[in-house]
Amino acid sequence: MTVRIGIIGAGAIVRHRHAPETLENPQAEVAAVVDLVQSRAEEVTAQYGGKAYTDYKEMLASDEIDAVIVAATNTTHAAMTIAALEAGKHVLCEKPMATSLADAQRMIDAAAKSGKKLMIGHNQRLEAANVKAKEILQSGKLGRVLTFRSVFGHPGCEDWAIDGEDTWFFRKEVTGLGTLGDLAIHKLDLVRWLLEDDYTQVSAFTDTLYKTYPDGKLIDVEDNAICLLRTQKGVMGTMIASWTYRKEENSTVLYCENGVLSLYTDPDYPVVVEYDHIRGEYYKVGKKSTNVEQVKSGIIDAFVDCIVQDTEPLVPGIEGYKALEVVLAATESAKSGQIVKLTPSL
């Protein structure tokens, strides 16, 4: 079976991840690429195959498409995903899956009604180091997790995005969320998955400290966010997301009863377990993907596999919903100056 994939979007994430990883998968092919800028769609299809479109609805009408990757602007994710599901296509949607919980729920409902797969692109769950970390936690040797800290910061989307300083990531009307929706959501999802826990309280500070449009005016979404979180099991932690780190940082540390589990804090060992100042374990597993050096994410392989094997996606819609829920709670907290409470579902 070959899964024929239509990709909506022809930006950096498609060029660096979705298209090449689809091409590398022996059970998938790039059947179409959609972008409002025709030349961009054609550039991707020239390299990876498929037909170029400027209208995603026209592409969805094709019987030559089995599944769709939604990698357009955040505020279009819901409409495109729902349309694809209603057209009988499986969907992999980039994070954040939507910009409102109502839209996220509509996406989940559309998947249930259509009987098609809906997977959300929280790729950090698939990284070898993070998979190893969960294995260590599940072994019980570190005991209960007490606190955590997680950081994801880099110099900014303009160094990555296809439009440079004029990137849509900086424009609220199309991105909906700033660094919370771009970076923090990765770590909020990862920690929740590692702990097998739900957040119950969030407090946050957000601000636009540095990033500007080409005309020099500050962008209208946050470029920095700091969150304080508590989980259902009583774990407390901090989450920092930033577009103003001159050197990229993407790490998580879990402080447990019997030791410390560190992810991507050591340049040589992605996973480090320290029981005390003398005893430790060092694991050379996987490599962190960065904006400078991309590493295969495995997200396409997982998406294709769940279609071919007819299994539940590794990151189903409800998981994307829960990640979005805490991001929106952090946004609310930053605006109100109050702690926002969440109802756990696990």
Side-chain angles (χ1 to χ4, degrees):
M1 176 182 181
T2 298
V3 180
R4 299 166 297 179
I5 297 177
I7 304 174
I8 305 178
I13 193 68
V14 169
R15 295 167 187 242
H16 291 285
R17 178 176 300 161
H18 298 314
E21 290 190 20
T22 298
L23 187 65
E24 291 172 6
N25 188 296
Q27 293 182 296
E29 66 178 38
V30 177
V33 178
V34 184
D35 198 279
L36 291 174
V37 181
Q38 184 172 350
S39 61
R40 291 182 178 177
E42 290 173 347
E43 287 170 1
V44 177
T45 56
Q47 186 171 2
Y48 298 102
K51 181 179 178 180
Y53 291 85
T54 56
D55 184 344
Y56 76 90
K57 292 181 180 179
E58 182 183 351
M59 183 269 285
L60 292 179
S62 172
D63 293 332
E64 301 300 312
I65 304 295
D66 303 308
V68 171
I69 297 171
V70 176
T73 56
N74 295 342
T75 52
T76 63
H77 285 181
M80 290 176 174
T81 295
I82 292 169
L85 291 166
E86 290 178 344
K89 319 298 184 185
H90 303 287
V91 177
L92 169 64
C93 181
E94 261 300 335
K95 54 78 203 167
M97 67 183 291
T99 54
S100 75
L101 291 180
D103 278 348
Q105 187 61 56
R106 281 192 281 270
M107 295 163 71
I108 293 170
D109 293 344
K113 185 177 180 180
S114 69
K116 297 300 179 179
K117 313 292 184 185
L118 171 60
M119 181 169 166
I120 311 303
H122 287 291
N123 59 286
Q124 293 204 8
R125 292 187 181 199
L126 279 62
E127 293 178 0
N130 295 332
V131 171
K132 181 63 178 179
K134 186 159 185 174
E135 176 188 311
I136 292 169
L137 291 172
Q138 290 178 329
S139 75
K141 64 184 180 181
L142 286 175
R144 184 165 56 97
V145 178
L146 304 175
T147 61
F148 68 86
R149 62 178 174 87
S150 192
V151 180
F152 195 175
H154 60 51
C157 297
E158 69 273 35
D159 288 348
W160 160 263
I162 197 166
D163 289 318
E165 292 184 356
D166 201 31
T167 175
W168 61 264
F169 282 95
F170 290 169
R171 301 184 180 278
K172 190 173 182 62
E173 70 272 16
V174 290
T175 188
L177 300 159
T179 191
L180 279 169
D182 181 41
L183 302 183
I185 197 166
H186 272 300
K187 292 306 185 184
L188 291 165
D189 175 73
L190 175 65
V191 170
R192 178 176 173 271
W193 175 73
L194 287 171
L195 299 182
E196 298 181 351
D197 201 355
D198 259 342
Y199 303 108
T200 56
Q201 292 178 285
V202 57
S203 179
F205 291 105
T206 65
D207 208 341
T208 308
L209 301 175
Y210 183 74
K211 292 298 177 183
T212 62
Y213 297 119
D215 64 6
K217 182 181 178 181
L218 284 172
I219 64 174
D220 59 3
V221 292
E222 78 279 353
D223 60 15
N224 278 271
I226 299 177
C227 305
L228 180 64
L229 302 129
R230 185 190 294 271
T231 76
Q232 186 176 11
K233 296 177 183 177
V235 183
M236 300 185 297
T238 58
M239 189 80 60
I240 300 175
S242 177
W243 284 336
T244 62
Y245 283 16
R246 299 315 302 167
K247 180 181 178 182
E248 184 165 336
E249 183 175 353
N250 194 337
S251 63
T252 300
V253 181
L254 305 173
Y255 301 91
C256 309
E257 291 176 308
N258 302 326
V260 179
L261 174 59
S262 300
L263 304 175
Y264 299 111
T265 61
D266 187 296
D268 297 316
Y269 298 95
V271 180
V272 175
V273 176
E274 296 169 288
Y275 296 102
D276 51 40
H277 68 286
I278 297 174
R279 296 180 301 128
E281 298 171 358
Y282 301 84
Y283 299 92
K284 211 161 198 172
V285 289
K287 188 175 183 181
K288 170 60 71 177
S289 186
T290 71
N291 284 359
V292 175
E293 182 182 2
Q294 286 292 303
V295 176
K296 185 176 181 179
S297 72
I299 201 76
I300 301 300
D301 289 348
F303 179 51
V304 171
D305 189 61
C306 80
I307 296 171
V308 173
Q309 301 298 327
D310 192 21
T311 54
E312 180 77 356
L314 287 181
V315 191
I318 186 60
E319 296 296 282
Y321 181 102
K322 297 302 294 186
L324 176 63
E325 183 179 39
V326 70
V327 163
L328 295 177
T331 301
E332 180 184 344
S333 173
K335 289 180 179 178
S336 68
Q338 303 295 315
I339 294 174
V340 175
K341 294 184 178 180
L342 299 168
T343 301
S345 61
L346 290 173

